[in-house]
Amino acid sequence: MKTEETALLKQAFASFDEAAVTLERSYQVLSNRVAELNVELELSNQALRESLSSNEEIKSHLHAILESLTSGVLVTDLEAQITTVNRAAEQMLEMNRKELIGQSLSELLRDWGFPGPLAGEVVRKSRRLTVALTDLRGEHGWPIGRVAQFHDVTDLKRLEEQLQRQQKLAAMGEMAARLAHEIRSPLGSIELFGSLLRQELADDPARRQLAEHICTAVRATDHLIGNTLSFVSPRRPRCKRVNLCRVIEEATLLATPMIDSHSVCINCELDKSASTIWGDEDMLRQVVLNLMLNAVQAMPGGGKLSLTTLEIDAGHTALRITDTGRGIPREDLTRLFDPFFTTRPDGTGLGLAISNNIMLAHGGSIDVESEVGKGSTFTLIFSKQKGAEALHGTAAI
């Protein structure tokens, strides 16, 4: 009995050893397979990481391109809900992307007055924008949303309006020039007959004063026509050596009737050493006369008009024209030399614009200082050298 049990036990151990060997072989095979799978998994993970990195780079690159565009871009899904907004769109629409994302593009465009269906203009506060809508298509060509592109055309429209305005002004200027030439002939006759009438009424002061008013009004009208002609048909200065004191004296003589009628006291302090300048005498006389008349008109109740010349340096001379009038508001100073800008109900807004253009053509400049209620000072800077030379670097006055 024991012999049989021993034989069975040996047989069991032999079977166990055989099974262990088989198991060990299977384990080894499995271990090798696991190692192979780990290698394959690592390779797959590496490829996935490289793909993700590449996708992130592409995504980052596309995002950078989108953010760098000067045109505004809004992207929607199939339900027309905004999903993507670039920086230019935020600036043009004056809304941040948190306000825009999730909103219905269709409703926003309707609120902004978009005429549609695929292109049109909208106005956002101070900006005029063109809008173009296109379908956003996926890899297989199926629509996955819409793209709205915005372009700011505010400056372009402003330039178009300026061009149209300039064309209208050019046409008006041509017409004004023709009318001015036609009007000047009868004006000369009126002034001549008014002067003769004034002489005939030497013994009748009251009526002589009326004739004087006629002559003054005619001269003022002729001056206005001259300003208009100078603005619409500017001519190049014919420069030579000019005596500034003589220019001031002649301008003062022409302005005397208005100076007297406004009860203005005039004071001139002319530096004879600073009297020779380079320029077109007629044009410079017009500048001085324009500024003197402006100064007198700023003192309707009377006041003091002062003209002072001084030498700035070896190359430049200055003329200061100072009045004690009502002064110029600070907000008007920057527009003072704009054509057609005037603060007087009866003004044309051409005198200062023409004067500034003449001074620039001579290489000079006009500076203004003013205080409301105390008066204004206009400073003209003239070149003493031949040729129109810019005044960069001249000493302060």
Side-chain angles (χ1 to χ4, degrees):
M1 189 68 179
K2 290 183 178 180
T3 303
E4 293 179 2
E5 291 177 356
T6 301
L8 289 173
L9 185 60
K10 286 181 179 181
Q11 186 179 358
F13 274 113
S15 298
F16 178 78
D17 289 339
E18 186 179 349
V21 171
T22 303
L23 182 61
E24 184 177 358
R25 289 175 181 172
S26 299
Y27 176 77
Q28 187 63 41
V29 171
L30 184 59
S31 296
N32 293 338
R33 183 56 181 163
V34 169
E36 291 174 359
L37 290 175
N38 284 337
V39 171
E40 293 176 4
L41 180 61
E42 179 60 29
L43 292 174
S44 298
N45 287 339
Q46 179 65 26
L48 182 60
R49 284 193 295 268
E50 291 176 357
S51 177
L52 289 174
S53 176
S54 177
N55 288 339
E56 285 297 325
E57 289 179 3
I58 294 173
K59 180 180 178 181
S60 177
H61 187 62
L62 292 176
H63 179 75
I65 293 174
L66 185 64
E67 289 297 307
S68 300
L69 291 175
T70 56
S71 56
V73 176
L74 299 181
V75 182
T76 74
D77 55 21
L78 287 173
E79 285 72 37
Q81 303 297 311
I82 298 173
T83 59
T84 304
V85 180
N86 74 340
R87 185 183 298 111
E90 288 184 292
Q91 295 172 348
M92 292 181 189
L93 301 174
E94 299 185 24
M95 299 173 68
N96 62 53
R97 61 191 67 196
K98 289 183 179 179
E99 294 177 282
L100 290 167
I101 290 177
Q103 292 207 50
S104 170
L105 178 62
S106 302
E107 293 180 3
L108 287 177
L109 291 177
R110 185 173 60 251
D111 293 342
W112 297 337
F114 179 64
L118 297 178
E121 282 192 10
V122 298
V123 177
R124 287 292 295 156
K125 298 183 180 179
S126 59
R127 298 176 183 268
R128 297 179 67 175
L129 309 174
T130 60
V131 186
L133 298 177
T134 56
D135 287 334
L136 178 65
R137 298 185 179 275
E139 183 179 356
H140 301 291
W142 294 98
I144 59 174
R146 303 201 87 180
V147 177
Q149 288 183 289
F150 295 81
H151 295 275
D152 191 340
V153 294
T154 306
D155 293 336
L156 179 61
K157 293 295 183 181
R158 187 180 295 116
L159 288 175
E160 290 177 353
E161 291 171 357
Q162 289 177 357
L163 177 60
Q164 293 175 359
R165 192 181 304 115
Q166 290 296 331
Q167 291 173 340
K168 290 180 180 178
L169 288 175
M172 291 174 61
E174 184 178 352
M175 181 182 66
R178 292 179 180 178
L179 287 175
H181 284 297
E182 294 295 328
I183 293 173
R184 269 190 158 175
S185 296
L187 273 182
S189 300
I190 294 172
E191 184 176 14
L192 174 62
F193 293 139
S195 299
L196 293 175
L197 182 61
R198 183 178 55 191
Q199 294 174 7
E200 292 293 328
L201 297 174
D203 298 330
D204 191 342
R207 293 186 177 182
R208 178 184 172 85
Q209 185 65 31
L210 294 176
E212 180 64 38
H213 288 328
I214 293 173
C215 293
T216 300
V218 169
R219 283 194 292 270
T221 304
D222 185 68
H223 178 69
L224 175 60
I225 292 173
N227 276 346
T228 304
L229 287 174
S230 297
F231 181 74
V232 299
S233 302
R235 65 177 178 86
R236 293 179 62 84
R238 296 186 289 270
C239 296
K240 61 180 182 179
R241 293 196 177 277
V242 175
N243 187 304
L244 180 58
C245 293
R246 183 173 68 245
V247 169
I248 295 172
E249 290 168 359
E250 291 175 355
T252 302
L253 182 63
L254 293 172
T256 296
M258 183 173 288
I259 291 173
D260 292 342
S261 65
H262 284 69
S263 301
V264 171
C265 175
I266 185 169
N267 178 53
C268 295
E269 297 180 8
L270 308 182
D271 183 356
K272 301 298 182 180
S273 65
S275 62
T276 302
I277 58 175
W278 193 269
D280 186 308
E281 186 170 351
D282 292 337
M283 296 177 75
L284 295 180
R285 184 190 307 111
Q286 182 181 4
V287 172
V288 176
L289 178 60
N290 282 347
L291 293 180
M292 290 181 67
L293 294 179
N294 275 2
V296 171
Q297 290 166 347
M299 300 181 286
K304 182 179 179 181
L305 175 63
S306 301
L307 288 85
T308 306
T309 61
L310 65 156
E311 186 176 24
I312 301 175
D313 54 34
H316 304 98
T317 293
L319 166 63
R320 286 177 177 166
I321 302 177
T322 303
D323 65 69
T324 57
R326 50 180 172 258
I328 304 167
R330 182 180 298 274
E331 60 271 17
D332 291 340
L333 287 176
T334 56
R335 304 178 57 197
L336 208 56
F337 300 108
D338 290 350
F340 306 112
F341 175 76
T342 180
T343 57
R344 301 197 317 270
D346 58 342
T348 63
L350 290 178
L352 289 178
I354 293 169
S355 299
N356 187 51
N357 289 343
I358 291 175
M359 292 301 294
L360 291 176
H362 281 76
S365 65
I366 304 179
D367 296 323
V368 57
E369 297 177 2
S370 185
E371 187 174 348
V372 175
K374 294 188 177 181
S376 306
T377 297
F378 285 81
T379 302
L380 305 176
I381 303 179
F382 304 96
S383 175
K384 298 168 68 173
Q385 302 173 358
K386 184 176 181 178
E389 298 179 4
L391 298 178
H392 299 299
T394 55
I397 302 175

